[in-house]
Amino acid sequence: MAFTPKKQHKQLTIVIKLGTSSIVDEKTHQPLLSILSLIVETAVKLHQDGHRVVLVSSGAIGVGLRRMDLDRRPKHLPKVQALAAIGQCRLMSLWDQLFGHVRQPIAQILLTRNDIADRTQYQNAQNTFIELLHMGVIPIVNENDTLAVTEIKFGDNDTLSAITAGMVQADYLFLMTDVDCLYDKNPRTHLDAKPIMVVEDISELEVDVSSAGSSLGTGGMSTKIVAARLATSAGVTTVITRSSNPGNITAIIKYAEAQKAAHISSRNSVVNFSDDGVPLAQTATLNLHNEHQTLTPSTSTDTPARTPSPQGESEYPPLHTRFLPQGNPVRDRWFWILHGLAPHGTIYIDQGACKALTDKAGLLPVGIVDVEGHFAQQEAVRIVVVQRLPSHSTTTSTSTPISHPHATPATPTSARTHYLDRTHPPLLHSHSSSHVTHITHPPLFELHHPAPMEVGRAVVNYSATEVRRIKGLHSTQIHDVLGYADSEYIALRENIALMGVEKSRPSTPSFGHRTTSEHGDAH
């Protein structure tokens, strides 16, 4: 009898990320067939239950080392890329053989950041995912290491999996690793380390991330937290759990869905409330304190007393860390602007301009305080809100290093080094170490109280040189200064994505229809 996928449960989209250490042995580079077979069984079971499954698989270079009988990963980039080309063929052949035993079709998708920097290519990739999932195929995604260089790499497959989860509007992202969950201390060196089961606010998370990636991979626990920050901003529940027990994925999903249903039921029994993106505040087991306190789990598990055991199963889930999604996810065009494009500079705006952007207005030159970097028309920039200094304060220059205690390290983009993180803007809210900024011209805005804060990204209508000439002016003066006026806006509102305040809705409900044009994006 032909199998018919079950339909009694909500259909979910689930992204499962496997690191190199979960695929090949770190020393012998031998494929870990036992783990891979369990992953295949888990993915197929989820698919048979009516869910959509995407795998993000590292391991091409590790498999290439095995194929060429090399002991260690080479340092020369062309050799690494050659090994990736060799290993990717073997890796996909291995996946195809394993899934072939259960007659499950798979597909290969290789990406670099350049592939999604163009809006049309981003939508083409999204449409490919949609069609594959509609056909019942399990896509297997990896970074195209054969072509990728530093400038166009995602950095690690944790980030790639988070962007993939955002593209497919996933419900869950599982980051499989060699530990059960996050701990407040390194469990390898501290026997009293306590597990962290639920995280509602990553910005308040204090955790030991000293565990680095394997010698074959590029990630570690810190990259998983960055990926969780990115994915949760897109409305994706993100889970860290042990890769050697992939069967736990099903149990964790059942438990999380049961808790979500119980929470919504509890809230609705008191007052009518939209269940879209409701944070599971009452089911969390963490006492989230302010930034001067330590985050510690309040209990050993996150099972609330009111949640019944589903269908007689154990009421305690497998050990894991679950990051709860933001209530107002950033999706579609806004997600692409925030995470698909690499910023080429920074535009500093005053608080009035920030309020206008929040109220859905475009960015006018009158609200711009300063410009940094070298960017062209239609390139992405960071939008940073600052408090403008009085005009008399800009007449004195300084080159004194200024410490920013809540800043994240950054790469210089010009003679003036700013302190914003180039790759992961949400990290601005994390508790990182002190960083020093060198100002080489008179500051035009307050650097401490309040400190500058990145609030979004934008695709601009004018180059950096042009914006410097017209910043602070009214739109009617653009033509007088430049001799032309392509637009009254530095950036149109549809080309601006704000972090954490956009109440965007997916243009493809349940990820069931193709995105065919810009008009299909959420605005």
Side-chain angles (χ1 to χ4, degrees):
M1 179 181 295
F3 175 80
T4 302
K6 302 175 184 178
K7 296 295 183 181
Q8 65 268 31
H9 300 296
K10 174 185 175 184
Q11 187 179 45
L12 303 171
T13 300
I14 301 160
V15 177
I16 303 171
K17 183 268 175 181
L18 292 168
T20 301
S21 62
S22 302
I23 295 176
V24 299
D25 184 89
E26 186 174 354
K27 294 182 179 179
T28 67
H29 309 147
Q30 182 76 24
L32 301 175
L33 295 179
S34 58
I35 294 179
L36 297 181
S37 298
L38 290 173
I39 287 289
V40 169
E41 290 180 12
T42 300
V44 170
K45 185 178 187 306
L46 290 170
H47 182 262
Q48 290 175 346
D49 286 340
H51 304 308
R52 296 171 290 254
V53 181
V54 178
L55 292 184
V56 178
S57 170
S58 303
I61 296 173
V63 174
L65 288 171
R66 172 72 180 180
R67 180 70 180 88
M68 300 306 296
D69 293 323
L70 297 177
D71 293 331
R72 61 180 61 88
R73 179 183 178 128
K75 297 181 179 180
H76 193 44
L77 179 61
K79 289 185 178 180
V80 174
Q81 293 175 317
L83 284 173
I86 296 168
Q88 186 63 33
C89 294
R90 305 281 290 190
L91 180 62
M92 284 306 300
S93 175
L94 179 59
W95 281 121
D96 193 47
Q97 290 178 27
L98 293 173
F99 277 104
H101 289 304
V102 288
R103 303 186 64 183
Q104 172 60 51
I106 62 172
Q108 173 182 258
I109 297 181
L110 298 177
L111 294 173
T112 66
R113 188 172 287 278
N114 258 12
D115 294 326
I116 62 173
D118 177 78
R119 179 61 179 162
T120 301
Q121 290 182 231
Y122 178 90
Q123 288 182 309
N124 287 341
Q126 194 175 44
N127 288 337
T128 299
F129 276 115
I130 294 172
E131 195 60 38
L132 287 172
L133 294 174
H134 179 72
M135 294 169 64
V137 175
I138 295 180
I140 299 181
V141 184
N142 196 2
E143 183 160 17
N144 194 347
D145 291 318
T146 300
L147 300 179
V149 293
T150 302
E151 290 77 10
I152 62 174
K153 284 180 68 67
F154 290 100
D156 57 81
N157 272 8
D158 292 322
T159 301
L160 173 61
S161 68
I163 292 178
T164 300
M167 289 178 68
V168 303
Q169 297 170 11
D171 298 282
Y172 288 90
L173 167 62
F174 282 85
L175 300 174
M176 312 301 287
T177 184
D178 58 354
V179 296
D180 292 302
C181 61
L182 287 181
Y183 292 85
D184 58 351
K185 301 176 184 178
N186 190 333
R188 295 187 178 96
T189 57
H190 295 82
L191 297 179
D192 60 341
K194 297 179 181 179
I196 298 176
M197 297 292 286
V198 177
V199 178
E200 289 186 283
D201 187 353
I202 300 181
S203 66
E204 296 189 12
L205 179 64
E206 295 183 7
V207 62
D208 189 331
V209 294
S210 58
S211 175
S214 69
S215 61
L216 297 177
T218 58
M221 196 56 68
S222 61
T223 64
K224 288 171 176 57
I225 294 177
V226 170
R229 192 187 304 274
L230 193 160
T232 54
S233 73
V236 182
T237 299
T238 304
V239 178
I240 292 176
T241 191
R242 185 178 290 274
S243 60
S244 59
N245 298 315
N248 289 345
I249 293 175
T250 302
I252 292 170
I253 290 175
K254 287 182 179 180
Y255 178 80
E257 289 295 303
Q259 285 218 318
K260 187 184 300 182
H263 176 75
I264 293 173
S265 176
S266 175
R267 292 292 297 267
N268 288 341
S269 66
V270 177
V271 61
N272 290 329
F273 192 82
S274 171
D275 63 4
D276 181 40
V278 176
L280 304 184
Q282 297 174 348
T283 65
T285 63
L286 300 178
N287 292 324
L288 297 176
H289 302 295
N290 61 39
E291 63 185 27
H292 301 295
Q293 294 177 301
T294 301
L295 183 69
T296 58
S298 59
T299 62
S300 60
T301 71
D302 62 343
T303 306
R306 70 173 188 278
T307 303
S309 172
Q311 298 181 359
E313 298 177 4
S314 172
E315 55 183 70
Y316 297 107
L319 204 57
H320 68 283
T321 296
R322 188 165 76 255
F323 298 84
L324 304 185
Q326 291 184 7
N328 296 315
V330 179
R331 287 177 174 163
D332 298 317
R333 182 176 180 83
W334 286 323
F335 181 84
W336 170 71
I337 292 174
L338 281 175
H339 304 297
L341 300 177
H344 293 269
T346 303
I347 291 180
Y348 297 90
I349 65 173
D350 59 27
Q351 294 171 347
C354 182
K355 184 179 185 304
L357 296 183
T358 304
D359 293 338
K360 305 297 184 181
L363 178 59
L364 296 169
V366 68
I368 295 178
V369 179
D370 203 0
V371 182
E372 182 175 33
H374 302 282
F375 51 86
Q377 293 180 357
Q378 301 306 310
E379 287 190 333
V381 299
R382 305 174 193 84
I383 301 296
V384 178
V385 61
V386 297
Q387 182 165 319
R388 191 191 297 265
L389 287 176
S391 58
H392 68 271
S393 298
T394 63
T395 59
T396 60
S397 63
T398 178
S399 59
T400 304
I402 302 173
S403 176
H404 298 279
H406 298 294
T408 54
T411 302
T413 58
S414 67
R416 176 184 56 179
T417 304
H418 63 78
Y419 65 90
L420 297 175
D421 188 306
R422 289 175 57 82
T423 309
H424 305 293
L427 284 178
L428 289 171
H429 304 283
S430 65
H431 306 309
S432 58
S433 59
S434 176
H435 183 67
V436 175
T437 298
H438 296 270
I439 304 297
T440 59
H441 70 77
L444 302 178
F445 49 84
E446 178 60 55
L447 294 168
H448 293 288
H449 306 291
M453 178 67 68
E454 182 175 5
V455 295
R457 301 283 174 87
V459 177
V460 293
N461 294 324
Y462 292 93
S463 68
T465 301
E466 293 168 327
V467 176
R468 287 189 181 93
R469 296 178 63 188
I470 62 177
K471 64 182 175 66
L473 302 180
H474 292 284
S475 297
T476 55
Q477 299 174 278
I478 295 178
H479 190 278
D480 295 337
V481 174
L482 299 180
Y484 54 87
D486 292 339
S487 172
E488 64 179 310
Y489 294 102
I490 298 299
L492 299 174
R493 187 60 186 83
E494 65 191 47
N495 290 332
I496 299 173
L498 301 181
M499 299 172 183
V501 298
E502 299 284 10
K503 296 182 179 180
S504 58
R505 300 295 179 187
S507 62
T508 52
S510 300
F511 205 63
H513 304 283
R514 289 186 178 183
T515 304
T516 57
S517 69
E518 290 300 312
H519 301 292
D521 290 332
H523 292 290

